Every structure is written in C-alpha cells, then in structure tokens.
Amino acid sequence: MKTLPFDAAEYLDTEEAIAAYLADAGEDGAEALSRATEVVARARELWSTREPETARRASPALAFGPHSDLSRLTSAGSRED
C-alpha cells in the first residue's frame, strides 16, 4: 500500500486551529512544542503565499492577520457600525 506524506501545516488554516495544535504539542513537552512551532511557521508561510481571495475565503483570521479585531464583523462579513 502506497501512502502519501502528511503535513499538518496544510490543515492549520485558522488561528483557532493553530492555538489548539500548539496547546496539544505543549502537553507533550518542549521538543514537541519546538517541532509544532516549526509546523506553524510553515503553515503561515503556506497560507500567505496562496492567492489573497482564496486565503480570505479559507480563513478571515489569516487573511487579516493574527491581531485583527474581527469581532466587529457580522456573519455576512460586513462591518457593524
């Protein structure tokens, strides 16, 4: 049986997913957390190189950045005033 390589970076497309991944790794010790940090860096690079519109659809948090205030956006994506 032939298998394909798995890269967790391809699935870390939201800040929530990244936070959960790092928290999980932190429970496994410093070495696991260090490897997870490298995976997160690769994930952020991967998603930053995607076409901007695709990135926005995939993850508003990544499209606008980790420190964006998305709480003022409605579920339709328009700003509340």
Side-chain angles (χ1 to χ4, degrees):
M1 175 200 271
K2 184 176 180 179
T3 61
L4 299 174
F6 175 79
D7 185 4
E10 294 180 21
Y11 299 93
L12 298 176
D13 59 352
T14 66
E15 288 301 316
E16 292 81 14
I18 288 171
Y21 183 73
L22 290 173
D24 240 12
E27 292 177 4
D28 292 336
E31 187 175 330
L33 185 57
S34 177
R35 284 192 310 265
T37 302
E38 293 172 7
V39 172
V40 167
R42 199 168 58 252
R44 287 193 168 126
E45 178 65 24
L46 173 71
W47 291 105
S48 73
T49 59
R50 301 276 169 121
E51 189 173 326
E53 184 59 31
T54 303
R56 278 194 294 276
R57 283 194 306 263
S59 171
L62 287 179
F64 293 106
H67 303 292
S68 297
D69 180 13
L70 299 180
S71 64
R72 296 182 55 201
L73 294 178
T74 65
S75 60
S78 61
R79 283 191 157 297
E80 293 178 352
D81 292 321

